[in-house]
Amino acid sequence: MRPSGLKPVVVVLALGLALAACAEKKEGAPAPSSASASAPTSVSASHNASASADQRPEHLPKDFPIPADAKVSTSHSEHNEGKKSALLIFTTQQSMSTLSETYKNYFATRIGDNAAQTIDENNLIIQGDSADGKESWSLIGSPLASREGVVELTLTWAGT
């Protein structure tokens, strides 16, 4: 797999969102911003434990398959200095085998041989860059130990 300038963007976005999710927001206090004051940024975010599958991040490619029964907990898009990124976290009751097949096929067309995969009955991890280097993808999923029959997936995407 060749190096990509989009990977640092995905890593920074994921870490920033993780930190923001853990931070306690005081009433009346503005939300923290990771963007510099001079950099133009547009952000759209949604956090809803029982959202429908059509609550996809604005910049996420429209053909990314989201299960019909998905419950979206985090949907976030950002556009900064010409680069777009998206984070989507959702749960579904589809089986790991169904999800693995769906996303293996999807990413075969999006990132082909550039994909690194770990797929078994407890893990679904597919990461890689498109052949033209314009997109970077990371999908991580596993069954929730606390909720029988429920799988949680976390998708990060960055592109131009």
Side-chain angles (χ1 to χ4, degrees):
M1 192 164 46
R2 61 187 207 341
S4 169
L6 294 176
K7 283 186 182 176
V9 172
V10 172
V11 170
V12 169
L13 176 65
L15 289 173
L17 289 171
L19 288 173
C22 294
E24 180 180 334
K25 184 177 178 199
K26 294 186 173 141
E27 198 153 329
S33 173
S34 60
S36 68
S38 62
T41 301
S42 70
V43 175
S44 69
S46 174
H47 305 281
N48 185 342
S50 62
S52 63
D54 64 352
Q55 195 174 9
R56 74 177 48 241
E58 177 184 0
H59 301 303
L60 181 65
K62 301 291 183 223
D63 66 339
F64 180 79
I66 299 173
D69 72 333
K71 291 188 177 30
V72 176
S73 61
T74 301
S75 175
H76 178 86
S77 274
E78 190 165 309
H79 186 215
N80 190 8
E81 297 179 6
K83 294 184 173 131
K84 297 176 183 177
S85 59
L87 171 69
L88 179 65
I89 302 173
F90 63 93
T91 57
T92 179
Q93 292 186 345
Q94 286 192 3
S95 70
M96 282 294 286
S97 61
T98 298
L99 292 167
S100 295
E101 190 66 26
T102 297
Y103 292 119
K104 217 163 95 171
N105 291 337
Y106 178 77
F107 286 115
T109 63
R110 295 302 286 220
I111 54 182
D113 293 337
N114 294 327
Q117 301 180 7
T118 301
I119 300 173
D120 59 37
E121 64 276 355
N122 292 314
N123 298 290
L124 171 57
I125 303 169
I126 302 174
Q127 299 175 318
D129 301 326
S130 60
D132 61 6
K134 292 184 178 181
E135 293 183 319
S136 182
W137 294 87
S138 175
L139 178 69
I140 301 172
S142 64
L144 291 175
S146 62
R147 293 173 53 199
E148 182 79 25
V150 176
V151 176
E152 182 176 68
L153 293 115
T154 300
L155 173 76
T156 55
W157 171 87
T160 53

